[in-house]
């Protein structure tokens, strides 16, 4: 074994995909070093702990991770039940991280990755150099680590999309930041509930996050008079806008779309279509006025919830030679498979190291970050990605190129669901993978009227 091969593989992020990567590395006899910016495992997941997933427990536990957990006395949850983000973190991800001990370092934010002694311009002996990883610790100290390879599973949670229809912050958006949220609120929190009760709230976005927010605001409106939502969509209303409804093969996802549709049909939300936000201004009474690129001005609202998707933070890997699609910011070989203009989640086949490789050998974007700006992702897909990547790092090319995952024909898009159980009646959120506006699960049939009977539209 060469000196470089004796170095650890640095995994960025102790979330679902990052910890699954570590499990596969250990299984292959390769030393992992997991760097987590937060104070605990799955710090990003914990920020949406109130969200319930579309996927069941059986779909969000990596087989390699379960092999590590079983000898510790860990008991797998009921595979048919739907966990919340908090359940996922506490009952699976943190116990898994604990198995790795000091191989997982918390409060370690990666600020840069490069080749040792080589910036992105230098060719000479580039591939012979290990990776250098710059880390900033929670106490402000810095460190430089060396790695044989890097798996970036840091996700996209930290970089939500802005309100602007052109992908840039709308004029006045930063000035109104105290009245704008970019996450699905936890309406079970009394302070959050008080913020929106009896007020008009603009919800910008057309994905699962918007659905859950509309449904939750409708529930709040039934208890708190004066509560109202204005649903702002960049596109029109079509038969697929609310998902497959009762025809959806994932009942939780179907129920969520139906609840959002009910919010509109029952008058708790007004829909504004074809509206691309250009600016946010305050009126003389302190209300927030959204103005569109076409000059339309909406009636004032008290709060704005922007759910326009997420995007990858590529700043700390800028010194590496990555081949990324110019639109999605996903690996060029993967991008055509996940392009929301062409594919639904149900038509994305499992993929691995071949689609995730870059000109810079040994660096991989995995998990949600690998999808760039594509709007949906599945935990099982991430687990298959890192299984393939780690097989390649171990020199087992046959296993790396072998598909070991069969996805349901319905395509399990990520996201939160609304359930019939009383304890979940107020569930909200963007789920394990839904990323708000930009590309739904399914194609777009003919436009239908708001309040009319939606046509099928299931994946």
């Amino acid at each position: 074994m060469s000196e470089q091969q004796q170095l650890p593989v640095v995994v960025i992020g102790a979330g679902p995909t990052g910890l699954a990567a570590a499990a596969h590395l250990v299984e292959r006899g390769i030393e992992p070093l997991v760097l987590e910016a937060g104070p605990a495992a799955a710090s990003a997941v914990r920020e949406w702990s109130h969200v319930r997933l579309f996927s069941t427990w059986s779909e969000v536990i990596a087989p390699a991770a379960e092999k590590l957990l079983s000898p510790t006395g860990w008991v797998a949850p009921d595979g048919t039940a739907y966990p919340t983000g908090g359940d996922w973190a506490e009952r699976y991800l943190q116990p898994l991280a604990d198995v790795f001990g000091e191989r997982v370092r918390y409060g370690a934010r990666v600020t840069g990755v490069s080749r040792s002694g080589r910036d992105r311009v230098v060719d000479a002996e580039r591939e012979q150099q290990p990776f250098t990883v710059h880390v900033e610790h929670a106490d402000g100290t810095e460190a430089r680590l060396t790695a044989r390879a890097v798996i970036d599973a840091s996700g996209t949670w930290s970089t939500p999309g802005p309100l602007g229809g052109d992908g840039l912050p709308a004029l006045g958006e930063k000035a109104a930041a105290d009245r704008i949220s970019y996450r699905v609120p936890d309406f079970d929190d009394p302070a959050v509930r008080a913020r929106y009760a009896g007020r008009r709230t603009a919800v910008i976005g057309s994905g699962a996050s918007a659905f859950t927010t509309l449904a939750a605001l409708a529930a709040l409106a039934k208890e708190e008079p004066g509560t109202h939502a204005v649903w702002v969509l960049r596109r029109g209303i079509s038969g697929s806008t609310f998902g497959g409804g009762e025809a959806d093969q994932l009942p939780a996802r179907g129920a969520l779309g139906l609840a959002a549709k009910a919010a509109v049909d029952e008058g708790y939300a007004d829909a504004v279509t074809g509206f691309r936000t250009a600016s946010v201004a305050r009126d003389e009474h302190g209300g927030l006025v959204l103005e569109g690129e076409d000059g339309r001005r909406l009636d004032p609202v008290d709060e704005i919830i922007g759910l326009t998707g997420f995007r990858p933070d590529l700043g700390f890997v800028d010194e590496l030679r990555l081949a990324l699609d110019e639109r999605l910011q996903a690996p060029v070989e993967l991008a055509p498979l996940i392009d929301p203009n062409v594919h639904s989640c149900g038509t994305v086949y499992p993929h691995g190291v071949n689609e995730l490789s870059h000109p810079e050998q040994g660096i991989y974007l995995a998990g949600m970050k690998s999808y760039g700006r594509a709007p949906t992702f599945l935990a099982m897909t991430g687990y298959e990605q890192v299984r393939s990547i780690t097989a390649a790092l171990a020199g087992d090319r046959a296993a790396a190129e072998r598909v070991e995952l069969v996805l349901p024909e319905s395509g399990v898009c990520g996201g939160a669901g609304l359930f019939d159980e009383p304890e979940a009646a107020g569930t909200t959120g963007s789920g394990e993978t839904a990323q708000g506006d930009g590309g739904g699960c399914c194609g777009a049939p003919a436009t239908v009227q708001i309040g009319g009977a939606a046509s099928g539209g299931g994946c």
Side-chain angles (χ1 to χ4, degrees):
M1 181 182 293
S2 68
E3 183 176 341
Q4 186 166 323
Q5 287 180 314
Q6 295 178 33
L7 295 172
V9 171
V10 164
V11 179
I12 305 175
T17 302
L19 292 174
H24 280 288
L25 288 167
V26 168
E27 188 175 53
R28 289 280 183 176
I30 301 173
E31 186 68 14
L33 177 58
V34 183
L35 303 176
E36 167 60 46
S43 293
V45 174
R46 294 173 189 274
E47 291 190 28
W48 46 270
S49 60
H50 57 291
V51 171
R52 191 175 298 277
L53 305 180
F54 285 150
S55 303
T56 61
W57 272 113
S58 64
E59 297 165 331
V60 297
I61 295 176
E66 190 166 8
K67 290 179 184 177
L68 287 179
L69 283 165
S70 294
T72 68
W74 176 80
V75 178
D78 177 3
T80 65
Y82 294 85
T84 63
D87 295 333
W88 204 14
E90 289 297 332
R91 299 181 62 187
Y92 164 61
L93 295 169
Q94 189 62 59
L96 177 58
D98 292 343
V99 170
F100 297 118
E102 294 184 356
R103 290 165 165 163
V104 178
R105 298 182 185 177
Y106 301 112
R109 180 177 300 279
V110 174
T111 58
V113 182
S114 186
R115 287 283 187 180
S116 182
R118 307 289 189 273
D119 62 23
R120 67 184 297 166
V121 177
V122 178
D123 289 334
E125 299 181 345
R126 185 176 190 86
E127 298 299 334
Q128 286 70 53
Q129 306 304 313
F131 289 93
T132 180
V133 181
H134 286 212
V135 180
E136 181 178 300
H137 296 290
D139 61 4
T141 60
E142 295 179 294
R144 181 186 295 112
L145 307 175
T146 307
R148 61 176 285 192
V150 176
I151 300 174
D152 181 358
S154 58
T156 58
W157 178 256
S158 63
T159 47
L163 303 184
D166 55 6
L168 301 173
L171 299 181
E173 181 173 344
K174 293 180 180 178
D178 61 322
R179 308 269 289 282
I180 302 173
S181 172
Y182 298 92
R183 306 285 191 269
V184 177
D186 180 1
F187 289 95
D188 289 332
D189 183 322
V192 172
R193 189 179 179 87
R195 176 175 177 175
Y196 297 100
R199 298 187 176 187
R200 282 173 54 86
T201 300
V203 179
I204 304 177
S206 60
S209 298
F211 286 178
T212 52
T213 301
L214 290 169
L217 284 171
L220 183 60
K222 294 175 183 178
E223 300 177 9
E224 298 286 348
T227 305
H228 194 76
V230 180
W231 186 21
V232 181
L233 298 95
R234 294 174 179 173
R235 53 195 179 193
I237 298 285
S238 72
S240 67
T241 296
F242 298 103
E246 294 178 357
D248 199 314
Q249 294 185 49
L250 293 172
R253 185 180 64 202
L256 176 59
L258 291 174
K261 185 176 184 299
V264 176
D265 290 348
E266 296 171 9
Y268 296 113
D270 298 322
V272 180
T273 61
F275 190 93
R276 296 183 176 275
T277 306
S279 66
V280 181
R282 295 180 190 263
D283 67 7
E284 63 273 19
H285 303 294
L288 300 179
V289 178
L290 293 172
E291 181 172 349
E293 293 177 352
D294 57 3
R296 280 186 291 168
R297 291 170 61 89
L298 304 186
D299 290 339
V301 296
D302 301 297
E303 298 284 342
I304 297 173
I305 302 175
L307 303 168
T308 58
F310 293 82
R311 52 189 59 177
D313 176 7
L314 299 168
F316 62 84
V317 289
D318 193 49
E319 286 303 314
L320 298 175
R321 298 175 178 180
L322 304 180
L324 299 174
D325 179 73
E326 68 275 9
R327 292 175 301 162
L328 296 182
Q329 295 178 296
V332 291
E333 297 297 325
L334 175 61
L337 309 181
I338 61 175
D339 184 351
N341 294 297
V342 179
H343 292 280
S344 75
C345 51
T347 62
V348 176
Y349 66 82
H351 51 273
V353 69
N354 290 338
E355 293 84 1
L356 298 170
S357 294
H358 296 276
E360 190 86 67
Q361 296 180 25
I363 173 69
Y364 302 97
L365 308 185
M368 288 191 57
K369 190 163 185 177
S370 71
Y371 269 41
R373 298 193 184 198
T376 55
F377 186 78
L378 174 64
M380 288 192 294
T381 299
Y383 299 159
E384 172 67 2
Q385 287 180 342
V386 295
R387 183 206 61 77
S388 176
I389 289 169
T390 55
L393 290 173
D396 188 350
R397 200 71 197 184
E401 296 183 358
R402 184 172 59 243
V403 174
E404 296 186 1
L405 171 66
V406 178
L407 294 176
E409 289 184 5
S410 61
V412 188
C413 301
L418 295 180
F419 296 78
D420 293 330
E421 300 94 81
E423 67 270 19
T427 301
T428 64
S430 58
E432 60 167 306
T433 56
Q435 298 188 24
D437 197 2
C441 290
C442 315
T447 301
V448 299
Q449 282 190 321
I450 300 173
S455 58
C459 284

